[in-house]
Amino acid sequence: MTRETMDSVTLYKRLLRYVMPYWRVFAAAVASIAIVAATEPAVPALMKPMLDGGFVGKDQTMIRLIPVLIVLIFLVRGVATFTGAYAINWVGNRLVMDLRMDMFGRLIRLPNAFFDDHVSGNLISKITFDVTQVTLAATNVVLISVKDSLIIFGLLGWLVYLNWELTLLTLVMAPLIAFVIRTISKRLRQTSRDTQNAMGEITQVVEEAIECSNVVKLYGGQPYETRRFHESANRVRRFNVKQAAAAAANVPIVQLIASFALAIIVYQATLQSSADKTTVGSFVSFIMAMLMLTSPMKRVTSMSEYLQRGLAAAESIFGLIDEQAEPDEGKLVLDRAQGHLVFEEVRFTYGDESRYALDGFSLDIRPGETIALVGASGSGKSTLANLIPRFYHPTSGRIVLDGHDTRDLTLESLRNNIALVSQNVVLFNDTVAANIAYGSMGGASREKIEAAARAAHALDFILEMPQGLDTLIGENGLKLSGGQRQRLGIARALLRDAPILILDEATSALDSESEKHVQAALEVLMKGRTTVVIAHRLSTIEKANRIVVMQKGKIVEIGTHDELLQLDGAYARLHRIQYESAIQSVSGEMG
């Protein structure tokens, strides 16, 4: 058995494991399908007694019995067909839901490094598109393989009973048909993979066009985005055409091969009839059974299309499910931290070993101390902030919280001690209350939510909304201003009441009025907490206990605002540049 066949078998077995919890419904579907298949040979079998006994022999019993049997057969087939189709689709939809749940459950537990290497459109396509293709393999293939295989065996059995010599001729073509099916199956698997990848590209283009619609409109990007979408859509079209061509070639080639056998059989059966070696009823029954074989044979030969498309999707799905989740090897549970953070010779690289985002960074942050990180873009400020909650792991060195290496702490207990407010506050298409009391804080009382909103200077504008705290805020807070979004982020951090606070450019994108409200809310939030502030506006960090100036992942200066100005080094230069820029801005407005 080849490696590809082994892989296909493994994939299919794993797929069927998702069906096993619903084996009773699945068994009912298979039983119903089997009943339908069992009644199929009964139709040509009735031809022999009907013609020989009714038309030729004038048997009155047969004349009365045959119509009743025909109605009974189709009644049984109708009930069994409905039951089988309903049951198999029920199982198929449960399978899709379970796979989606497993994929989503894995997706939200993957490390940040995974998302750095994968575009979101492809990941969304896996959950929305690829998973639906699996039902073709898990349901349609079972439907065809059970039903049509039983029909073929039943009809072949009847043919052998009628004339075994002619029936043997049908088996001569079996090896050639198997070769054709195998060759085309390989083609179908590859084109299915290509189609799924191309669908991911379409999803990505559409997602970016929607999320960045203002930029597209402002900079006249419509032709460019249209061209990108056309290229992606055209790739899907080409792969679909290739897949359709392979699938379309499969059936006629097999049927052409089978037609030679059928032609020989019909010729031989006619000769036997002429020599009175067979009756009219046997001859008509044989030919009818032969003709009825073509439909199930057609479906069985086309089964490889569904199977390969489903297996290609299964590869994609299980590839995501098998991704390694965030490592959480820590065993120590830390209830509420004091907030004593120590960085010991921390180095970190995003993959390029020749360039460190942090290079030997060491710093001792005392409980309740406010530390401001200052430096040009790429100096390592955000990287440092991402290492504290273990979004990434140091390449070397270690980070210590209250005397414990953060790698020894469970992820849950570590992150329960950290709150984050960033420049781009993430909000969800839910109510104001649900966005403040998000995640593990979902059980917070109404009073606590209101208190957090009030402390964040957000309650006034919340109460002006149509439903107050129960107002839906739209996708990522679309209905809110930048300052309002920031204050909701601060309210969320206040409700969490974590001893460690990370502020990542929390006021850089705000106007003066919004910044005043946000800054007042931040002062409330920072009281009594170990705070790490990342800011480009030096005016927002002048009150920090210590300011750390960074360049290329290293500390070049450290001290208070006044100390660093007296030092007249890197911080003083940055301060002068921003001060001169502010003076020019004010002069321009007055002019």
Side-chain angles (χ1 to χ4, degrees), residues 39-49 155 158 281 285-286 288-289 292:
T39 58
E40 189 87 359
V43 177
L46 285 175
M47 293 298 102
K48 179 176 170 56
L155 290 172
W158 178 245
S285 182
F286 191 93
M288 187 174 184
M292 288 180 68

Side-chain angles (χ1 to χ4, degrees), residues 340-344 398-406 409:
H340 187 191
L341 269 174
V342 180
F343 298 85
E344 298 179 352
R398 66 176 191 155
I399 301 172
V400 179
L401 173 60
D402 292 354
H404 306 291
D405 190 324
T406 55
L409 303 175

Side-chain angles (χ1 to χ4, degrees), residues 552-571:
K552 297 181 179 180
K554 296 181 178 181
I555 297 175
V556 293
E557 290 178 359
I558 188 168
T560 64
H561 172 73
D562 293 335
E563 289 171 349
L564 292 177
L565 287 181
Q566 291 177 5
L567 189 63
D568 198 23
Y571 180 80

